[in-house]
Amino acid sequence: MYVSKLVAGAVISIALTTPVHAEKLVFLTGSQGGSWFPMGGAMKNQIERQNNELDIQVRPGASLANVVAIDSGQAQLALGSSISTVDAINGVGSFSKPVTNVCNVAKLYPFIVQSLATDLNMQTPGDFKNRDMSVNPKGNASEVTARMVLKTYGLNYEDLSKVNYASMTDQANMMKDGQVDGFIQTTTVPAGVIMDIAASRPVKLLPIPEAQVAKMKQWNAGFYDYVIPAGSYPFQKEDVHTAAFGTHVMAGCDLSEETVYGITKVLAEKMGQISVAISALKGIGAKDMAQDIGVPLHPGAARYYKEVGLL
């Protein structure tokens, strides 16, 4: 009898604290082995703690697929890369027609374009002509970026001796074994894959000059200029100019303004706690979140940024 009373009490407690009609949202992130999945989980926890009217289901996803899912209403929130979302809005690249129901909520940390070479005589990514290079599988945001960087020099894959499509781990092994002359990757700084390669053989970061980045920005408004500070890697003695694009939180434009306003407010005010899940978020604040990435802001997000004087 005593146990039955305890169970009954627990059920009553849950009923009182869990809203019967909580708004259910699907939040698409990345693969379970990557950084986006735990980051989405950390965001979910903070959002639900501040608003128990929301029930967020975090699911694995991928940058391109997440955009499609948001546009079609299969998900309400998602993580993505700005260049993929910009392509989707314009109906170019991997997208045959423009999406119409995808809005930006918050820019997060940058993905930095890093062109690494094992031949120390190479000066820019244009020197990959007639050489062997590795890239991510086709359609990946990093692979799309690699093609775009080469295009700024008037090159395509046919102008290279060989192109190897592989995971970042396999690309690192190829470079360490001398099978390829380098790669063009988009990742954070310092990148573990680059540190790994540099521990095995001499390498150098190839700059992507401002003129090349300007072309990339013309093709996709999600890109911007970025400088990798000297000393970011043990072998790097000078600043290296390159391009970057943002990771971001997106939402269906038809998601209510009030819901997105609340989510944006939590992300801005609780980013310190969320960054425990992924160090790249450390130091990110509302000012960073409000930056233009070439994707229209959701009215709810815009309302919050205006409220704090950022728009």
Side-chain angles (χ1 to χ4, degrees):
M1 179 70 70
Y2 178 68
V3 174
S4 298
K5 287 182 178 180
L6 285 177
V7 173
V11 171
I12 291 171
S13 176
I14 292 172
L16 291 174
T17 57
T18 304
V20 176
H21 302 294
E23 182 179 7
K24 296 183 182 298
L25 304 177
V26 173
F27 187 3
L28 296 180
T29 57
S31 63
Q32 291 184 323
S35 60
W36 279 9
F37 190 72
M39 180 167 65
M43 290 179 173
K44 160 194 165 72
N45 291 339
Q46 290 299 326
I47 294 168
E48 289 183 343
R49 283 179 186 175
Q50 304 303 315
N51 188 344
N52 64 3
E53 295 295 325
L54 295 179
D55 178 9
I56 300 175
Q57 301 173 23
V58 175
R59 297 178 184 174
S63 184
L64 298 179
N66 290 358
V67 178
V68 175
I70 289 288
D71 187 54
S72 63
Q74 298 174 59
Q76 292 71 48
L77 296 170
L79 295 174
S81 62
S82 61
I83 57 169
S84 297
T85 312
V86 167
D87 274 352
I89 289 170
N90 294 318
V92 298
S94 301
F95 300 88
S96 58
K97 61 180 181 179
V99 301
T100 58
N101 188 39
V102 177
C103 284
N104 183 39
V105 174
K107 178 194 170 189
L108 301 174
Y109 57 89
F111 267 148
I112 300 148
V113 184
Q114 299 177 73
S115 181
L116 192 72
T118 56
D119 185 340
L120 303 186
N121 292 317
M122 293 177 65
Q123 299 300 313
T124 72
D127 292 331
F128 276 116
K129 184 176 182 179
N130 298 323
R131 296 177 184 270
D132 296 341
M133 191 177 87
S134 62
V135 296
N136 280 31
K138 284 187 177 182
N140 180 282
S142 186
E143 185 271 330
V144 171
T145 301
R147 280 191 277 118
M148 194 174 294
V149 171
L150 293 174
K151 183 180 176 183
T152 68
Y153 290 95
L155 303 175
N156 54 43
Y157 288 161
E158 286 69 34
D159 296 308
L160 278 57
S161 296
K162 186 178 181 181
V163 176
N164 296 274
Y165 298 94
S167 67
M168 288 181 71
T169 300
D170 288 341
Q171 290 183 57
N173 290 332
M174 288 178 191
M175 288 186 69
K176 287 189 283 187
D177 295 341
Q179 298 178 48
V180 296
D181 298 302
F183 63 40
I184 299 174
Q185 274 290 348
T186 56
T187 183
T188 54
V189 171
V193 64
I194 292 179
M195 297 290 280
D196 180 32
I197 299 167
S200 300
R201 63 179 303 158
V203 292
K204 69 183 293 187
L205 283 174
L206 304 176
I208 302 176
E210 292 183 19
Q212 264 59 43
V213 178
K215 292 179 182 179
M216 295 170 70
K217 288 191 284 187
Q218 287 179 354
W219 298 329
N220 189 304
F223 285 105
Y224 55 92
D225 291 89
Y226 191 92
V227 174
I228 303 174
S232 295
Y233 296 101
F235 61 85
Q236 183 196 353
K237 306 302 180 185
E238 300 178 346
D239 290 350
V240 174
H241 189 279
T242 185
F245 59 86
T247 55
H248 73 122
V249 178
M250 66 183 106
C253 300
D254 56 358
L255 190 57
S256 78
E257 177 179 327
E258 197 64 33
T259 296
V260 176
Y261 168 83
I263 289 171
T264 309
K265 180 178 175 68
V266 172
L267 293 179
E269 296 179 355
K270 301 297 180 179
M271 193 61 76
Q273 291 91 321
I274 296 169
S275 67
V276 174
I278 176 170
S279 59
L281 289 175
K282 289 182 178 177
I284 298 295
K287 184 177 181 180
D288 307 286
M289 291 168 52
Q291 289 179 7
D292 181 18
I293 60 169
V295 180
L297 269 177
H298 191 285
R303 174 182 153 195
Y304 175 77
Y305 297 134
K306 289 177 182 176
E307 187 176 276
V308 295
L310 294 172
L311 290 181

